Every structure is written in C-alpha cells, then in structure tokens.
Amino acid sequence: MKKIAYSLIALAMSAFTFTSCEDVPAPFTQPDDPSGGGGGGGTIIVDPTGSGTVADPYNVQAALDIAKAMSGDDAAKEVVAAGYISSIEEIDTEGTYGNATYYISDDKDGKSNKLEVYRGYGLNGQKFNAKDATIIKQGDFVVVSGGLVNFKGSTPEFTQGSKILSINGQGGGTEPSGETLGTKDNPLTIDQALAEINKLADGGESSQFAYVKGKVVKVTTNQANFEKYGNLNYLISVDGTENGKEITVYSGDGLDGAKFTSINDLAQGDEVVIYGKLYKYVNKNTGAVTPEINKGNYLVSLVKGSGGGGDTPSGETLGTKDSPLNVAQALELINALADKAESEKFAYVKGKVVKVTTNQTNFEKYGNLNYLISDDGTENSTITVYSGDGLNGAKFSGPGDLEPGDEVIVYGKLYKYVNNSGAVTPEINKGNYLVSLVKGQGGGGGDEPGGGSEPGGGAEAGSSITVVTADLGLGNQEKPSTLTLSDGTTLTFSDGGNKNAPAYYNTGTALRMYPQNTMVINAGSKKIVSIEIVCDEYNGTLYNASGDITVNSTKMTIDGTSLKFTGPNASTATVANASSTTGAASQLRMKTLIITYAK
C-alpha cells in the first residue's frame, strides 16, 4: 500500500478559488488528489491532518481517528472536516426534513477510509429541496461542520444536524466571484446593512455574503433553547442600545464558526463583526419587518465591551434554582434599577400566581403568557412576568396552563418598566421561562412535569393514572430519558439500537417511538394490571406501528385508535415497537398512556 500525505494547498483549488477579497472565509482549499492517478486497488492509507477548525479542517482520516477514540456515550465533539463525497445514501427533498446522508473520503474514488455524514443539511444549514437536490453529488469536495460522534461505540459519524460550509470551494453557493458586501477589515455599518436589507423583497436574502459590524444589545436566546440548538439569537446596533435600528442575528455561531459555550459568551456592549447573509424577515400574521443576518452566520471578530465577561459572569445569578429570590427580594432589586433598566444578571424568582392577564386571542397570536406573581398569591406586592414561556422554555398550550395559587420559579432578567405617565411596573422581562411549577389546589400538574426525577406528568384517578404526553412539559423534538409521574411511576425510554430515539413532537402533540424503541414502565411497589395507549391519527393514517407493539414481548390488541394490554400483573412492563416496516407506518405516536394498577 502506498501512504499518501494529505495537504491543504491553495494551488490545488485554482479552478475553484475566488478572484478577490482574501478575507473571505470561503472558498476552502481542497487537498491534492491522493489517488495519484495510478490503478493499484485496495484501501489507500492517508495521514491524518488538520486541526478541526474552519481555517484548517480535519481530513477524513483525522476525523475518523478522533471519533473512534470516543465512547458511544461521549457527547458530540463540534469539528470541521473536509473530504470528497464518495457515495450518497439519501436526500430528502420533500421539505419535511430536508437533509441528506452521505459518505466522505480523502480521495475522489473513495479508496481511502470513509466517514458517514448522517442526515446533514446543505450550505450554511439550509434544507435540501427538490429544486436544489443535485447541489451535492458524488465527487464533490465538501467542508462539513457538525458534531462528531462514535454512534453505539462502533460507527464514527457526523451526527444529525451538520451543515456544509463549502462545495468545491464555493462557500455561499450564490456568491459571485467571491465578492462580499463589505470586508472583514472594512465591514458594513449598521446603517449600511439596514439600507441593503431594505432593498430586498419581503422574505428575500442577499445574494452575497456580508460583513457587518455592531455592538451587542442583548442575547434573546434562553438557556433551554441554547442547550437544544447550540447557537444564539441576539440584537446588534451602532451603540449597543435599543434605538430602533437593531439587526437580529439569527441562529449565530461563534468565532470562525465554532460553537458558543454559553448564552453568556456575548454581553451588551461587545463589539462584533459578523459574516453571513442579510435577510428581510416578514411576519406573515402582522406584516412586521425584522432586519436579520440569516442562519448560518458566525463571528469573525469579537472585542469584549467594558462589561467584560457577559451578563452572568462565571454563571453567577441572582438566587439559584434551589434557593431562589422571593418576590419581596426581587422587588427590592428592581426598585434599585434605573428607569427602564434591566438587571445585568439572570434571576431565579419564586412566587405564587395571582392571575394570568393574557387572553386567548393574544395567546394564539404570540404564544406566551403575561401573569402576576406575589409571595402569597394575592394582589399585594406583585411582579409582572412578561411574555413568559413554560417549563424549561417549552411553549404553554394555553392561558389555562397557569392558575391562581400555582407556585412557580421563574428564570429571567429583572426589569423596571416605566410607561409614558411615569408609572412603574416591576417585571421579569421577555425571554423568561419556568424552571418549576407546583400546581395549587385548583390545579393538578405536579412539580416540573417530565424531564427528570421530580414528580409530574399525569393525574391519578382511583387505581389508574392517565398521562397526556402534551402535558409532560417536553419541548419539540426533545428525547426524554426517564420521566417520573405524579404517583412515582417512572417511564424510561431507549432507542433499542435505532438511530432515532423516542422523541416528543408538537406536530400532532405525541411522543414518537420508532422500531426497536422501548419504554419501560416501573410502578415501584404497585402492580400493573393493564396498559392502554391512545395513538395519533392524522390525514387518515393511524400511527400505531401497524399494531406491532408488544408488552414484555406479547403483542397489544388494537381497539380503534387505542392499543390495549391486560397484565402483566407485575411492577414493571417493557413496551416495545416491534414493527418491521419503514416510514410513517412503522411509528408509534403516543398521545395518551393509561396505566391501571391492582387495587
């Protein structure tokens, strides 16, 4: 076998490189063709090279070596790697998922080792569709950014959600001759960027990439969404204040495409230069225009402001989840703020719901709730929780989700709102969410539905418990591990070897189980005498995995939209999707779970 040295040399990209602007991150250079033009057969051995960054991607061999050294339980490692597409397994062009599964290698003929890119997205994270399905093809040289894993300890891969940064050296697809709006050294000002955005059609994106300089006004991504998506939404303006000329940076990444480590990586006053495409977002319901730098952007420069280490240095907060501020303490801190000022740090505030002030019409329009809290649940020394979200950042299902007397812990920033007449309203500002909810005597939810060892997710009725999956407090596409119900029964989920683990989707408001997925019900000291699962039905399709659902290896019976099982007369039961079909017919979509215990 011959050993091929892998090198990233700009001359090898002369057929693809842009003709101007050396500051442009794209195009990325390709390696020399390691096939050497000879026949030979067998697997080509390639030296690992690169550092895994945008400027210096790993080659495939280096990425494989790193992934193989990981265990199946290790978290994904965010890296950038480059290689030739050796084969394409599938491209979803129906608009549902818009991703592709393909393999990359260090030579055009695929004779070197291959790395799977599992369900990755196209240029800058855009979905594939029928119009551009051929945007990748065998032999293309791609630079891919995403999470590297060793799936089940035996399959090195880019896990689902990666994105392509360049194809054959073209970093933006539509960027002509490498031209950009502004440069890294001479970026657009906020006013110049706004002028360019105003020229766009509604919903239009600039054909060229842009460099935009501004100061951070505030980060609008909360902790729950950061943990879920790994990027940040934030506002920038000329001077770091809300002056009516802000630009929203949507789903942004950090320096040179690296992932942010925290929502506190950016703070008000930080000076940034962002590389991305300008976008004129228009709200379909209201027609309101939001100037944006679109998804796929990243920082090329960051100079920390005088505030230094972010809104909550070293993760410091006002109060903690375990020892939150009470309402009286929060009011004292709000009163000390300047008019219309927001606290630098995030706060945990505990109180009781006095009333919800959002009506159904406004809830349907905005999707969040305004409500009052106080220490005793009365209209005495209240704080307004403004535009709040539910548990761990999930959306409320309606104004009735909160009732007077419910005890909550809210996570957000304190704000001293002052109206035109000078009246002061103490608030927890927009972007807040619940980290704990204990239903009052009028309710029936429990503390922190779903998501761990604390009670929640179901209401007992005699010797049965009914669990509505939409009430478990799970976020869209969240993959639960173990949920503890209000009576102490636990539900533990496993992928069973399928790459798709059980996950909750708010489309259909059901928890989906794919072939081989399992759910273990552990009732503790109680004995389970029957199980019923109510399945989702959509557009004439009943998602019950064709009835191939078993309890302790015995198939459940079909009864209309329900699956039923008598037994197992034991404290534990394993519910499994045993379907051997594919596609929608193979899925179990569980809307309701009813467990009946022995008396």
Side-chain angles (χ1 to χ4, degrees):
M1 292 186 179
K2 58 181 180 179
K3 196 169 187 179
I4 306 297
Y6 180 103
S7 62
L8 291 168
I9 304 173
L11 290 176
M13 280 295 297
S14 60
F16 302 108
T17 49
F18 300 153
T19 58
S20 65
C21 238
E22 64 182 3
D23 293 315
V24 183
F28 297 91
T29 55
Q30 297 185 61
D32 293 330
D33 184 357
S35 63
T43 300
I44 295 174
I45 304 300
V46 176
D47 287 333
T49 63
S51 58
T53 64
V54 173
D56 184 27
Y58 288 131
N59 69 348
V60 172
Q61 188 60 56
L64 282 168
D65 289 348
I66 291 168
K68 288 177 180 178
M70 301 168 69
S71 76
D73 296 324
D74 286 344
K77 179 180 176 63
E78 294 293 330
V79 303
V80 178
Y84 293 94
I85 295 179
S86 57
S87 63
I88 299 174
E89 297 297 308
E90 61 177 355
I91 303 179
D92 174 50
T93 61
E94 300 304 316
T96 304
Y97 302 106
N99 51 33
T101 297
Y102 55 96
Y103 289 84
I104 59 175
S105 63
D106 284 324
D107 68 293
K108 288 182 179 179
D109 297 324
K111 293 181 180 179
S112 56
N113 288 327
K114 300 175 182 65
L115 174 66
E116 182 177 11
V117 181
Y118 178 69
R119 293 185 178 175
Y121 293 110
L123 274 171
N124 300 309
Q126 300 300 310
K127 288 185 176 182
F128 295 105
N129 56 54
K131 182 179 179 181
D132 64 8
T134 58
I135 198 168
I136 58 171
K137 61 185 183 298
Q138 188 172 350
D140 283 344
F141 183 78
V142 293
V143 178
V144 181
S145 173
L148 196 63
V149 299
N150 193 7
F151 181 71
K152 293 294 182 183
S154 60
T155 306
E157 65 178 38
F158 270 113
T159 192
Q160 185 168 344
S162 66
K163 62 184 178 183
I164 296 175
L165 300 183
S166 75
I167 301 174
N168 297 326
Q170 302 298 311
T174 58
E175 186 176 340
S177 303
E179 294 178 6
T180 59
L181 299 167
T183 66
K184 181 179 178 181
D185 294 329
N186 187 25
L188 299 180
T189 65
I190 294 292
D191 285 340
Q192 289 171 328
L194 287 171
E196 292 291 339
I197 293 171
N198 288 335
K199 294 177 187 177
L200 298 171
D202 290 354
E205 183 184 66
S206 63
S207 60
Q208 296 169 311
F209 282 82
Y211 290 90
V212 182
K213 183 177 182 178
K215 289 187 176 181
V216 175
V217 177
K218 63 180 177 181
V219 174
T220 58
T221 298
N222 61 35
Q223 184 64 33
N225 283 334
F226 174 74
E227 291 173 359
K228 188 172 183 179
Y229 300 109
N231 45 37
L232 295 180
N233 299 335
Y234 54 100
L235 304 181
I236 59 173
S237 69
V238 173
D239 57 3
T241 66
E242 293 192 61
N243 54 21
K245 290 186 176 182
E246 300 87 33
I247 294 176
T248 296
V249 183
Y250 179 64
S251 294
D253 284 330
L255 281 168
D256 297 323
K259 291 294 183 182
F260 288 110
T261 61
S262 164
I263 60 175
N264 302 314
D265 284 357
L266 294 179
Q268 184 176 15
D270 290 349
E271 186 175 82
V272 294
V273 177
I274 302 154
Y275 177 79
K277 287 197 172 185
L278 307 178
Y279 183 64
K280 189 176 184 179
Y281 172 76
V282 179
N283 187 299
K284 293 180 180 179
N285 296 321
T286 65
V289 174
T290 303
E292 290 186 355
I293 300 176
N294 210 357
K295 183 177 181 179
N297 69 79
Y298 57 89
L299 296 179
V300 295
S301 174
L302 169 61
V303 179
K304 298 298 290 181
S306 57
D311 291 336
T312 55
S314 305
E316 185 181 341
T317 58
L318 299 168
T320 65
K321 181 179 176 181
D322 295 328
S323 181
L325 303 176
N326 60 32
V327 171
Q329 290 170 324
L331 283 170
E332 186 174 339
L333 292 172
I334 292 171
N335 290 334
L337 294 172
D339 289 353
K340 297 184 179 180
E342 182 183 66
S343 62
E344 291 184 359
K345 300 175 184 178
F346 284 83
Y348 290 90
V349 182
K350 183 177 182 179
K352 290 186 177 181
V353 174
V354 177
K355 63 180 178 182
V356 175
T357 58
T358 298
N359 59 31
Q360 183 64 32
T361 301
N362 283 334
F363 174 75
E364 291 174 358
K365 187 174 182 180
Y366 300 108
N368 44 37
L369 295 181
N370 298 335
Y371 54 100
L372 304 181
I373 59 172
S374 68
D375 280 324
D376 58 4
T378 68
E379 294 194 51
N380 179 34
S381 300
T382 61
I383 290 177
T384 296
V385 182
Y386 177 63
S387 292
D389 284 327
L391 279 165
N392 300 316
K395 291 296 183 183
F396 288 111
S397 61
D401 286 359
L402 294 179
E403 300 173 289
D406 290 349
E407 187 176 82
V408 295
I409 298 177
V410 187
Y411 178 78
K413 287 196 172 184
L414 307 179
Y415 184 63
K416 188 176 183 178
Y417 174 73
V418 181
N419 67 15
N420 293 332
S421 65
V424 174
T425 302
E427 290 185 355
I428 300 177
N429 210 356
K430 185 176 182 178
N432 70 78
Y433 59 92
L434 296 179
V435 295
S436 175
L437 167 63
V438 179
K439 298 298 290 183
Q441 292 188 357
D447 185 14
E448 292 196 62
S453 59
E454 300 182 42
E460 275 193 285
S463 59
S464 296
I465 183 168
T466 299
V467 183
V468 180
T469 56
D471 295 338
L472 286 169
L474 298 171
N476 187 39
Q477 300 185 40
E478 183 173 345
K479 299 175 182 179
S481 176
T482 298
L483 304 176
T484 303
L485 308 182
S486 59
D487 65 348
T489 293
T490 60
L491 310 177
T492 301
F493 299 89
S494 170
D495 58 28
N498 192 318
K499 285 189 176 181
N500 293 310
Y504 175 79
Y505 281 77
N506 57 22
T507 302
T509 58
L511 197 152
R512 302 182 186 183
M513 291 178 60
Y514 303 92
Q516 303 176 52
N517 288 179
T518 61
M519 173 180 67
V520 177
I521 305 172
N522 189 333
S525 61
K526 302 182 291 296
K527 186 175 290 187
I528 303 167
V529 295
S530 71
I531 298 168
E532 178 179 355
I533 296 173
V534 180
C535 305
D536 183 28
E537 186 173 20
Y538 180 71
N539 280 350
T541 299
L542 181 60
Y543 290 90
N544 66 358
S546 303
D548 292 329
I549 304 299
T550 63
V551 177
N552 293 356
S553 300
T554 301
K555 187 176 290 189
M556 301 183 77
T557 59
I558 302 174
D559 184 1
T561 60
S562 293
L563 296 164
K564 295 183 178 180
F565 182 84
T566 301
N569 294 314
S571 62
T572 62
T574 300
V575 179
N577 183 340
S579 176
S580 58
T581 59
T582 59
S586 69
Q587 296 181 19
L588 167 65
R589 296 187 181 182
M590 181 171 65
K591 293 181 73 70
T592 304
L593 171 67
I594 304 168
I595 307 169
T596 302
Y597 308 107
K599 293 183 179 180

